[in-house]
Structures are given as C-alpha cells and as structure tokens.
Amino acid sequence: MNIWVLCIGFAVAVLAIFTVRIAAQWERIIILRFGSFHRVAGPGLYFTIPFVEHIALRADQRVMLTGFSAEETLTSDLVPVNVDAAVFWMVWDAEKACMEVENYYDAVSMAAQTALRDAIGRKSISDVTVHRDKLDQELRDKIEEKASTWGVSVISVEIRDIVIPKELQRDMAAAAKAEREKDARIVLAEVEKDVAAMLLEATEVYRKDEMAFELRSMHLLSEGVKESSGTLVIPSAYSEGFKREKPAKE
C-alpha cells in the first residue's frame, strides 16, 4: 500500500513539474497544441498539458533598447559617414511576434539598420548633421511600418553620434564661420541704414530750426568737455542767438 502511495505521489510531482508554470509580470507565453497556436498565457500561474502542449515563445513586453549603426555610408552628396543610433521598442502582440517572424529581436535590429542606411543615402551631409530630429522621426516611421506586422511597436529612435571625415569637418567649420560673418554684415548694414535715415530726418529738422541746431551743438560741446574733464567757456555773444525778439507793442 505504501509503495502505491509513493508511486502516485511521485507521478503527481512529476506531472506538476511539467504542468504548473509561472510567468513574470512582463512576460506573455505563446502555447501551441499539437503544433498549432492555442493561446497566450501569463502573467502569473498557468498550466500546460504534457506531450500535448508546449511553449513556443516567452515574449518580454518591457521596453527594449537596440543599438544599431551604419558605417562608411554615403550621403546623397557622396560623403562617407558613420552613424550610431538606438531604437526603443516593445512587443504589443505576443502572438504576432511568435507567428509572423522567426526572431523578432533580430528582425527589429536588421530593419533599423536598413532604414538608417536608406535614409542617409537620400540626404545630404548638412541634412544629416543639422536636422537630426527629422531624421529620428523618419527612421521611427520606417521601422514602425515593418515592425507593426510583427506585433512590435516602435517608441522612438535617437541618433547618438555622427562621425564625418576630419578634413570635411574643417571645411564645414570654415563654411559655418563664413555664414556667421555674412549674417553679422547683413545686420550691421541694416543698422547703418536705419542710422542714416534718422540722421537725414534730424538734418531736416535742424535745417528748419536754427535754434535746435545751436542747442544740439552746445550739447555736443558739453559732452566733449565732460569726457576730457575740461571747462567750457561760452562767450556772451553766443547766447544772444537764443534770444527771441519780442513782438512790438502797439
């Protein structure tokens, strides 16, 4: 009797080992029955039938990070660049991730690398280096277009580093400096134009009003004396010009 109890207990223990399973909070388990898709299990406790059901995939639904790069890739203006980037993605449909692609992790990595090379080949070196945000969005859309059929959602793509030849870096720095000098000259020319217009307006005022012109002259003399810490002596005859003639009484 004891032997039968031990045998039954041993059989139950073995059955429990192959039947009772636990999935983590972030896991989804793809279970096949006789080779065909049956259900998605998890998280928590789930059961499988030995020799009838088996686990095809344990899909991790946390946000994943995959780094990828494009080395010695030519831009549209034939400049070789090395670009490093990273894509953030997650599995939203575990069934598709199992049934539609052999290895969804490798597939995402390859799709990202292909999209990066294609995007660089259609852009100039200035577009690649200056408009990184647009390149990030373009890559995200391209990768999402392919990965969505595998049950994968692309959260974002970020360009980490762009390396261009050193001789081209010097040329780009010189071009940027020339562009800044050009902008500065344009601003200076606009300021001089405004100043000239104001001087022309002031000249017209002084031409019509001699007293205003004399007051301005005295102000300039006073400012010059202040800067040189000198003394300004004004002849009494000079002040007579400011006296206005009183109207004659009838």
Side-chain angles (χ1 to χ4, degrees), residues 18-19 33 39 47-54:
F18 289 98
T19 302
R33 177 175 290 182
R39 70 182 187 278
F47 301 89
T48 58
I49 302 174
F51 310 110
V52 175
E53 297 178 340
H54 75 276

Side-chain angles (χ1 to χ4, degrees), residues 1-222:
M1 184 67 178
N2 291 334
I3 295 177
W4 284 106
V5 172
L6 291 175
C7 290
I8 293 173
F10 179 76
V12 170
V14 172
L15 185 64
I17 292 174
F18 289 98
T19 302
V20 181
R21 302 175 186 275
I22 298 176
Q25 178 66 35
W26 56 84
E27 288 183 324
R28 297 298 182 270
I29 313 301
I30 305 300
I31 298 176
L32 303 183
R33 177 175 290 182
F34 295 115
S36 299
F37 173 79
H38 182 253
R39 70 182 187 278
V40 179
L45 192 68
Y46 67 97
F47 301 89
T48 58
I49 302 174
F51 310 110
V52 175
E53 297 178 340
H54 75 276
I55 297 173
L57 177 70
R58 303 178 73 95
D60 190 329
Q61 290 196 312
R62 292 175 293 184
V63 176
M64 309 293 286
L65 170 62
T66 300
F68 59 101
S69 62
E71 298 181 357
E72 298 295 329
T73 303
L74 294 178
T75 61
S76 61
D77 46 359
L78 303 180
V79 177
V81 294
N82 296 336
V83 180
D84 289 330
V87 55
F88 295 86
W89 56 277
M90 64 176 295
V91 176
W92 60 270
D93 190 329
E95 180 183 350
K96 286 185 177 181
C98 177
M99 309 302 292
E100 300 297 333
V101 65
E102 180 181 2
N103 187 317
Y104 64 87
Y105 192 94
D106 290 344
V108 170
S109 178
M110 185 61 66
Q113 190 173 26
T114 303
L116 178 60
R117 288 183 175 275
D118 180 65
I120 292 175
R122 290 184 289 102
K123 295 182 179 297
S124 65
I125 184 62
S126 60
D127 290 335
V128 172
T129 55
V130 176
H131 303 294
R132 287 194 182 191
D133 52 344
K134 293 183 179 180
L135 182 58
D136 290 344
Q137 185 61 40
E138 181 179 344
L139 289 173
R140 183 202 171 281
D141 294 341
K142 286 289 185 180
I143 301 171
E144 175 76 17
E145 183 179 353
K146 292 183 179 180
S148 60
T149 60
W150 309 327
V152 172
S153 176
V154 179
I155 300 172
S156 66
V157 177
E158 297 180 3
I159 301 296
R160 295 186 295 181
D161 191 22
I162 299 175
V163 180
I164 61 178
K166 291 184 178 180
E167 57 273 12
L168 185 59
Q169 291 181 18
R170 291 192 293 267
D171 294 341
M172 292 180 66
K177 181 180 179 181
E179 187 67 23
R180 290 193 298 269
E181 291 178 352
K182 175 184 174 182
D183 294 340
R185 290 179 181 274
I186 291 175
V187 172
L188 181 60
E190 292 177 350
V191 171
E192 290 180 350
K193 179 181 177 182
D194 294 339
V195 171
M198 289 187 290
L199 289 175
L200 183 61
E201 183 180 353
T203 301
E204 187 66 21
V205 173
Y206 294 148
R207 187 180 65 82
K208 294 179 180 180
D209 192 340
E210 294 183 0
M211 182 172 290
F213 178 73
E214 292 175 355
L215 286 172
R216 179 57 178 165
S217 299
M218 290 187 63
H219 177 73
L220 292 175
L221 287 172
S222 175

